Amino acid sequence: MKKEIIVIDGPAASGKSTIAKIIAHQMQYMYIDSGAMYRCIALYKIEHDLNIEQLIKQINEIKICFTLDDKVYLNNIDVTNKIRNKEVTSIVSEIAKESEIRAYLVKQQQAYGLNKGIVMDGRDIGSVVFPTAKIKFYMEASVEKRAKRRYQEIISNGDQADYLNICEDIKKRDYEDMHRLNSPLIKVKDAIEIDTSNLSIDETVNKLMSIIMEKVK
Ligand code: C5P
């Protein structure tokens, strides 16, 4: 079977990473969560109390890596859970607008794809990072469904959540990601759109896998 690059773009909380992880596992591909990389930069900014100019100056100090069990390391420290916190989530779209930050991360993302056999999810993976990839998906779901899933995820981790706040955060992040100048979230022409509003995880995986298997034949 040929190795390919599988791209999954889409708005916040559309289930991309859950599905991408399962698909990577089934295909025995590497999974790269590009959003986690932007989250690492946001966490670094918070922890070092930097403004955007200072952050850009220090960008080369920021080393991000992923392990095979999907842990994320920022300068050798496991930040897998920390990068999901509210503070990081609230500033990540702000830092993701910056072209220097995007260029720094896009270069690393493209390096991960050199040998193919990779699933990467994000916002600009099909448009900027791997525009010539043969397998591209755009994953959508209604804001209400996405907020409900995120709410249930937080509650099931034993944390407190406010559904309306989550809804507002998702809408705000979608707006910022879709309307920024640099690499906005778009559905590229050759991406296959999958609306997961009424699909379970298994149904979504099966749908994507049947398309992938046709394309890697
Ligand atoms: O996917 P996730 O919600 O973790 O991404 C966090 C943020 O990182 C997004 O809201 C977006 O602003 C930014 N991002 C991006 N380009 C990507 C992936 C994420 O701008 N490829």
Side-chain angles (χ1 to χ4, degrees):
M1 225 170 14
K2 287 186 294 190
K3 287 222 177 234
E4 289 294 348
I5 292 176
I6 301 174
V7 167
I8 307 182
D9 283 312
S14 52
K16 302 182 299 288
S17 52
T18 306
I19 302 300
K21 260 184 215 167
I22 300 173
I23 284 176
H25 185 74
Q26 294 195 4
M27 297 294 295
Q28 296 185 314
Y29 279 16
M30 178 166 58
Y31 165 58
I32 299 292
D33 174 354
S34 69
M37 301 173 83
Y38 289 92
R39 287 174 179 273
C40 281
I41 307 272
L43 179 62
Y44 185 93
K45 177 181 185 294
I46 294 166
E47 290 190 332
H48 292 78
D49 195 17
L50 305 173
N51 62 33
I52 290 281
E53 290 72 31
Q54 293 166 326
L55 177 67
I56 291 170
K57 267 198 192 137
Q58 294 186 25
I59 194 86
N60 291 311
E61 313 286 312
I62 307 178
K63 307 283 180 223
I64 300 161
C65 62
F66 294 91
T67 61
L68 286 176
D69 57 348
D70 296 324
K71 296 239 179 311
V72 188
Y73 281 76
L74 167 59
N75 291 341
N76 296 321
I77 294 168
D78 181 353
V79 294
T80 315
N81 295 326
K82 226 177 188 178
I83 56 168
R84 306 275 151 211
N85 76 27
K86 254 188 171 167
E87 209 184 343
V88 169
T89 305
S90 69
I91 69 153
V92 63
S93 291
E94 187 74 29
I95 66 110
K97 283 183 197 156
E98 302 295 328
S99 53
E100 292 90 342
I101 292 174
R102 301 203 71 82
Y104 181 68
L105 294 183
V106 166
K107 213 162 108 193
Q108 295 173 36
Q109 290 155 4
Q110 288 172 333
Y112 279 122
L114 281 179
N115 296 320
K116 301 200 172 171
I118 181 179
V119 182
M120 190 176 291
D121 69 353
R123 305 294 188 287
D124 61 338
I125 311 304
S127 58
V128 175
V129 182
F130 299 123
T132 59
K134 292 203 183 67
I135 310 178
K136 295 182 185 174
F137 295 102
Y138 186 87
M139 203 173 275
E140 256 291 16
S142 67
V143 173
E144 292 72 24
K145 270 280 159 68
R146 289 187 276 141
K148 204 168 152 198
R149 288 180 192 151
R150 186 49 55 90
Y151 174 86
Q152 275 159 355
E153 187 185 319
I154 299 172
I155 296 288
S156 66
N157 284 337
D159 296 321
Q160 289 203 324
D162 182 297
Y163 173 79
L164 288 179
N165 273 346
I166 296 172
C167 228
E168 285 316 304
D169 167 66
I170 287 177
K171 283 187 200 159
K172 178 171 168 277
R173 225 146 43 89
D174 283 354
Y175 185 87
E176 284 180 327
D177 292 343
M178 287 171 180
H179 292 87
R180 67 181 174 220
L181 226 56
N182 295 316
S183 316
L185 167 65
I186 48 160
K187 180 191 155 318
V188 287
K189 272 203 200 111
D190 54 344
I192 298 167
E193 192 166 350
I194 309 278
D195 188 326
T196 69
S197 302
N198 298 310
L199 294 179
S200 67
I201 293 176
D202 281 353
E203 286 167 335
T204 310
V205 169
N206 291 342
K207 201 165 180 167
L208 267 68
M209 279 305 289
S210 66
I211 297 169
I212 293 167
M213 293 322 283
E214 276 302 309
K215 300 216 181 224
V216 295
K217 256 187 195 163

